[in-house]
Amino acid sequence: MMKSRFLSCIACALFVACCATVSWAQNNSPKVEDFEISKSGPKALEINYSVMDDEESKVSVGVQVFDEQRQRVGVVSITGHVGASVSCGDNKSIKVVFEKDLTSYEKLEVKLTADDGYQVAVQDLVNQVSLDNLKANLEFVEGRRFPITLEDAKHHKEVRQYIKDKFTTEKGTYLYTQDTALESFKVQNIIAEVGGTSNQSKTYILSAHYDAWFKSPGADDNASGVAGLLEASRILSQYNFDHTIRFVAFDMEEHDLLGSRVYVQGQKLTKKEVEGVINFDMIGVFSDKPKSQKVPDVFKEIFPEQAAQVAANDYRGNFAILNHNEASQGLVTAIRSSASEHVPGFEIIPLNAMYNGEYLPDLAASDHFSFWQAGISAVHMGDGGDTRNKFINTKKDKLKLINYPYMVKVVGSTVAALAKLGGINHAVSYTKSYNPSL
């Protein structure tokens, strides 16, 4: 009888401990209810809300306001139940005073966020990278899509819609396009973003181009990059970040970087707004076989340390290459350290394209170069192009070349880096529109 009671006590204790562990692992985000907006003067809005949290008595509350162009509106002051330590409960209010009269705007979007400070495990995001999703995305995108013939233009249009559909179904993203008619082409960049919850939010961009070289099915170049972009956006869009994470599918990279040039110039991007760019271009070809990686003679001279590292590995093409310039060293460090921590054993070799690639044009031959020209920190994550894939820009750049397990490593490393750079948090966001004319 004594033994039975003793075992019952142990079982009960284990059950309680297990429940406590599960409860901690499933920490719930705060909940906001009764979110209402009303005018509080010619230049002011009042925001009313209630906030609850299952685990915490206080949360951090923030407010951001955007105009009809999704540009942040100038604010003089934000006062009330806002800031780092707001007690949970009903009847909370915030007053926002603007620089301009409310009638200056056609529509305002008010974003209210609440964060309980719970630390999200970055490894949980990395573990969500799906080989099956990468494969499905790549198989759809692969195919001739340089829009110069009717057949190729048809698939180019199908890929556009596929990207939009994927971005639209992601719960945390805001989708828009940038359309331009230029040099006989109708260029359309497709953009989605997860807005940052901080009032001092900056932007990190993950990009890939969705066109392909004329007459090439472009499996590696660059259906692989698009597949990685879509999978990364699927995962990251489920979370909130202090800073904005933007996903951009560029059009017409194969025509003198047309899409990214239009984007950088048209958006008037500056390094003050954009903290960093990671560009996926050719992330699909990897091999553990000796002699599967070539190192051009000029690279042996300019990058002796990296060349020696590849030679010591018997020229196996089982690593990613990170092209960067001097201004992008911080991004390189973040990506490589994230890979080391969250995708152990995966090697990423950096190559510094000195002077923005003026003397090494092969390291500037993708959309990251458009950002370099604007003084914005940017890197190119790739597999080395024709130093590993001899079928780049040919009819033989097909699905059979792709190594999906290594693509999982590339995307996992990038997801981890963006989660950390973006400042992943446990916030919830609620957005409501307000029409000043009503």
Side-chain angles (χ1 to χ4, degrees), residues 1 8 88 111 122 124 153 214 258 263 265 288 315 333 346 427:
M1 186 70 174
S8 295
C88 293
K111 183 176 182 179
V122 171
D124 290 348
F214 179 55
L258 192 55
Y263 177 75
Q265 294 167 13
D288 291 314
Y315 293 95
T333 301
F346 180 50

PDB file of all heavy atoms in Angstrom, residues 1 8 88 111 122 124 153 214 258 263 265 288 315 333 346 427:
ATOM      1  N   MET A   1       0.834  -1.216   0.000  1.00  0.00           N
ATOM      2  CA  MET A   1       0.000   0.000   0.000  1.00  0.00           C
ATOM      3  C   MET A   1       0.866   1.262   0.000  1.00  0.00           C
ATOM      4  O   MET A   1       0.629   2.209  -0.731  1.00  0.00           O
ATOM      5  CB  MET A   1      -0.916  -0.022   1.233  1.00  0.00           C
ATOM      6  CG  MET A   1      -1.929   1.122   1.264  1.00  0.00           C
ATOM      7  SD  MET A   1      -3.174   0.904  -0.004  1.00  0.00           S
ATOM      8  CE  MET A   1      -4.258   2.237   0.390  1.00  0.00           C
ATOM      9  N   SER A   8       2.166   6.742  -6.779  1.00  0.00           N
ATOM     10  CA  SER A   8       1.121   7.679  -7.205  1.00  0.00           C
ATOM     11  C   SER A   8       1.579   9.122  -7.036  1.00  0.00           C
ATOM     12  O   SER A   8       1.311   9.989  -7.879  1.00  0.00           O
ATOM     13  CB  SER A   8      -0.161   7.453  -6.381  1.00  0.00           C
ATOM     14  OG  SER A   8      -0.693   6.177  -6.650  1.00  0.00           O
ATOM     15  N   CYS A  88      -2.320  45.270 -17.609  1.00  0.00           N
ATOM     16  CA  CYS A  88      -3.411  44.637 -18.357  1.00  0.00           C
ATOM     17  C   CYS A  88      -4.752  45.049 -17.755  1.00  0.00           C
ATOM     18  O   CYS A  88      -4.864  45.285 -16.552  1.00  0.00           O
ATOM     19  CB  CYS A  88      -3.265  43.120 -18.306  1.00  0.00           C
ATOM     20  SG  CYS A  88      -1.809  42.508 -19.179  1.00  0.00           S
ATOM     21  N   LYS A 111      -1.791  51.127 -36.272  1.00  0.00           N
ATOM     22  CA  LYS A 111      -1.313  49.801 -35.887  1.00  0.00           C
ATOM     23  C   LYS A 111      -1.013  49.808 -34.390  1.00  0.00           C
ATOM     24  O   LYS A 111      -0.151  50.557 -33.916  1.00  0.00           O
ATOM     25  CB  LYS A 111      -0.061  49.440 -36.677  1.00  0.00           C
ATOM     26  CG  LYS A 111       0.469  48.037 -36.389  1.00  0.00           C
ATOM     27  CD  LYS A 111       1.657  47.723 -37.283  1.00  0.00           C
ATOM     28  CE  LYS A 111       2.167  46.312 -37.037  1.00  0.00           C
ATOM     29  NZ  LYS A 111       3.316  45.991 -37.934  1.00  0.00           N
ATOM     30  N   VAL A 122      14.597  31.122 -31.745  1.00  0.00           N
ATOM     31  CA  VAL A 122      14.893  31.217 -33.185  1.00  0.00           C
ATOM     32  C   VAL A 122      14.993  29.837 -33.816  1.00  0.00           C
ATOM     33  O   VAL A 122      14.592  29.642 -34.973  1.00  0.00           O
ATOM     34  CB  VAL A 122      16.195  32.018 -33.401  1.00  0.00           C
ATOM     35  CG1 VAL A 122      16.645  31.954 -34.849  1.00  0.00           C
ATOM     36  CG2 VAL A 122      15.995  33.471 -32.970  1.00  0.00           C
ATOM     37  N   ASP A 124      13.189  27.370 -33.374  1.00  0.00           N
ATOM     38  CA  ASP A 124      11.850  26.916 -33.755  1.00  0.00           C
ATOM     39  C   ASP A 124      11.507  27.350 -35.180  1.00  0.00           C
ATOM     40  O   ASP A 124      10.817  26.626 -35.912  1.00  0.00           O
ATOM     41  CB  ASP A 124      10.797  27.467 -32.786  1.00  0.00           C
ATOM     42  CG  ASP A 124      10.886  26.819 -31.412  1.00  0.00           C
ATOM     43  OD1 ASP A 124      11.592  25.798 -31.271  1.00  0.00           O
ATOM     44  OD2 ASP A 124      10.255  27.343 -30.471  1.00  0.00           O
ATOM     45  N   ALA A 153       6.225  34.483 -72.035  1.00  0.00           N
ATOM     46  CA  ALA A 153       5.485  35.526 -71.319  1.00  0.00           C
ATOM     47  C   ALA A 153       4.331  34.925 -70.522  1.00  0.00           C
ATOM     48  O   ALA A 153       4.002  35.408 -69.431  1.00  0.00           O
ATOM     49  CB  ALA A 153       4.967  36.567 -72.296  1.00  0.00           C
ATOM     50  N   PHE A 214      16.977  34.132 -71.313  1.00  0.00           N
ATOM     51  CA  PHE A 214      16.237  33.779 -72.536  1.00  0.00           C
ATOM     52  C   PHE A 214      16.481  32.317 -72.928  1.00  0.00           C
ATOM     53  O   PHE A 214      17.613  31.873 -73.036  1.00  0.00           O
ATOM     54  CB  PHE A 214      16.677  34.718 -73.660  1.00  0.00           C
ATOM     55  CG  PHE A 214      16.016  34.453 -74.976  1.00  0.00           C
ATOM     56  CD1 PHE A 214      14.639  34.421 -75.090  1.00  0.00           C
ATOM     57  CD2 PHE A 214      16.780  34.227 -76.117  1.00  0.00           C
ATOM     58  CE1 PHE A 214      14.026  34.181 -76.307  1.00  0.00           C
ATOM     59  CE2 PHE A 214      16.184  33.985 -77.340  1.00  0.00           C
ATOM     60  CZ  PHE A 214      14.802  33.966 -77.427  1.00  0.00           C
ATOM     61  N   LEU A 258      17.085  45.273 -64.254  1.00  0.00           N
ATOM     62  CA  LEU A 258      16.074  46.304 -64.467  1.00  0.00           C
ATOM     63  C   LEU A 258      15.129  46.445 -63.272  1.00  0.00           C
ATOM     64  O   LEU A 258      14.851  47.556 -62.799  1.00  0.00           O
ATOM     65  CB  LEU A 258      15.283  45.996 -65.740  1.00  0.00           C
ATOM     66  CG  LEU A 258      14.372  47.095 -66.279  1.00  0.00           C
ATOM     67  CD1 LEU A 258      15.143  48.375 -66.513  1.00  0.00           C
ATOM     68  CD2 LEU A 258      13.706  46.635 -67.576  1.00  0.00           C
ATOM     69  N   TYR A 263      13.291  49.575 -58.587  1.00  0.00           N
ATOM     70  CA  TYR A 263      12.835  49.548 -57.197  1.00  0.00           C
ATOM     71  C   TYR A 263      13.628  50.527 -56.338  1.00  0.00           C
ATOM     72  O   TYR A 263      13.048  51.354 -55.621  1.00  0.00           O
ATOM     73  CB  TYR A 263      12.968  48.133 -56.634  1.00  0.00           C
ATOM     74  CG  TYR A 263      12.588  48.023 -55.177  1.00  0.00           C
ATOM     75  CD1 TYR A 263      11.252  48.048 -54.790  1.00  0.00           C
ATOM     76  CD2 TYR A 263      13.559  47.905 -54.198  1.00  0.00           C
ATOM     77  CE1 TYR A 263      10.898  47.959 -53.454  1.00  0.00           C
ATOM     78  CE2 TYR A 263      13.211  47.812 -52.856  1.00  0.00           C
ATOM     79  CZ  TYR A 263      11.881  47.833 -52.487  1.00  0.00           C
ATOM     80  OH  TYR A 263      11.538  47.752 -51.162  1.00  0.00           O
ATOM     81  N   GLN A 265      15.540  53.070 -57.180  1.00  0.00           N
ATOM     82  CA  GLN A 265      15.389  54.468 -57.596  1.00  0.00           C
ATOM     83  C   GLN A 265      13.967  54.975 -57.378  1.00  0.00           C
ATOM     84  O   GLN A 265      13.762  56.098 -56.918  1.00  0.00           O
ATOM     85  CB  GLN A 265      15.786  54.603 -59.061  1.00  0.00           C
ATOM     86  CG  GLN A 265      17.266  54.325 -59.306  1.00  0.00           C
ATOM     87  CD  GLN A 265      17.597  54.137 -60.787  1.00  0.00           C
ATOM     88  OE1 GLN A 265      16.785  54.452 -61.666  1.00  0.00           O
ATOM     89  NE2 GLN A 265      18.783  53.622 -61.070  1.00  0.00           N
ATOM     90  N   ASP A 288      28.563  17.062 -52.545  1.00  0.00           N
ATOM     91  CA  ASP A 288      29.600  16.556 -51.643  1.00  0.00           C
ATOM     92  C   ASP A 288      30.694  15.801 -52.395  1.00  0.00           C
ATOM     93  O   ASP A 288      31.612  15.263 -51.768  1.00  0.00           O
ATOM     94  CB  ASP A 288      28.974  15.633 -50.588  1.00  0.00           C
ATOM     95  CG  ASP A 288      28.102  16.400 -49.598  1.00  0.00           C
ATOM     96  OD1 ASP A 288      28.559  17.461 -49.126  1.00  0.00           O
ATOM     97  OD2 ASP A 288      26.978  15.956 -49.318  1.00  0.00           O
ATOM     98  N   TYR A 315      37.887  20.439 -53.101  1.00  0.00           N
ATOM     99  CA  TYR A 315      37.055  21.156 -54.090  1.00  0.00           C
ATOM    100  C   TYR A 315      35.619  20.626 -54.150  1.00  0.00           C
ATOM    101  O   TYR A 315      35.020  20.509 -55.223  1.00  0.00           O
ATOM    102  CB  TYR A 315      37.711  21.105 -55.477  1.00  0.00           C
ATOM    103  CG  TYR A 315      39.002  21.886 -55.530  1.00  0.00           C
ATOM    104  CD1 TYR A 315      40.225  21.243 -55.337  1.00  0.00           C
ATOM    105  CD2 TYR A 315      39.004  23.255 -55.733  1.00  0.00           C
ATOM    106  CE1 TYR A 315      41.420  21.950 -55.362  1.00  0.00           C
ATOM    107  CE2 TYR A 315      40.196  23.977 -55.774  1.00  0.00           C
ATOM    108  CZ  TYR A 315      41.395  23.315 -55.573  1.00  0.00           C
ATOM    109  OH  TYR A 315      42.574  24.026 -55.592  1.00  0.00           O
ATOM    110  N   THR A 333      28.595  38.880 -40.929  1.00  0.00           N
ATOM    111  CA  THR A 333      28.805  38.342 -39.586  1.00  0.00           C
ATOM    112  C   THR A 333      27.519  37.749 -39.021  1.00  0.00           C
ATOM    113  O   THR A 333      27.518  36.652 -38.444  1.00  0.00           O
ATOM    114  CB  THR A 333      29.328  39.442 -38.643  1.00  0.00           C
ATOM    115  OG1 THR A 333      30.560  39.948 -39.160  1.00  0.00           O
ATOM    116  CG2 THR A 333      29.540  38.910 -37.243  1.00  0.00           C
ATOM    117  N   PHE A 346      27.158  23.705 -41.637  1.00  0.00           N
ATOM    118  CA  PHE A 346      26.951  24.326 -42.947  1.00  0.00           C
ATOM    119  C   PHE A 346      27.914  25.494 -43.104  1.00  0.00           C
ATOM    120  O   PHE A 346      27.891  26.443 -42.323  1.00  0.00           O
ATOM    121  CB  PHE A 346      25.514  24.798 -43.101  1.00  0.00           C
ATOM    122  CG  PHE A 346      25.215  25.440 -44.428  1.00  0.00           C
ATOM    123  CD1 PHE A 346      25.566  24.819 -45.625  1.00  0.00           C
ATOM    124  CD2 PHE A 346      24.573  26.669 -44.498  1.00  0.00           C
ATOM    125  CE1 PHE A 346      25.293  25.411 -46.845  1.00  0.00           C
ATOM    126  CE2 PHE A 346      24.290  27.261 -45.713  1.00  0.00           C
ATOM    127  CZ  PHE A 346      24.661  26.628 -46.892  1.00  0.00           C
ATOM    128  N   ALA A 427       5.022  39.884 -29.769  1.00  0.00           N
ATOM    129  CA  ALA A 427       3.930  40.863 -29.841  1.00  0.00           C
ATOM    130  C   ALA A 427       2.792  40.371 -30.727  1.00  0.00           C
ATOM    131  O   ALA A 427       2.950  39.478 -31.557  1.00  0.00           O
ATOM    132  CB  ALA A 427       4.462  42.183 -30.386  1.00  0.00           C
TER     133      ALA A 427
END
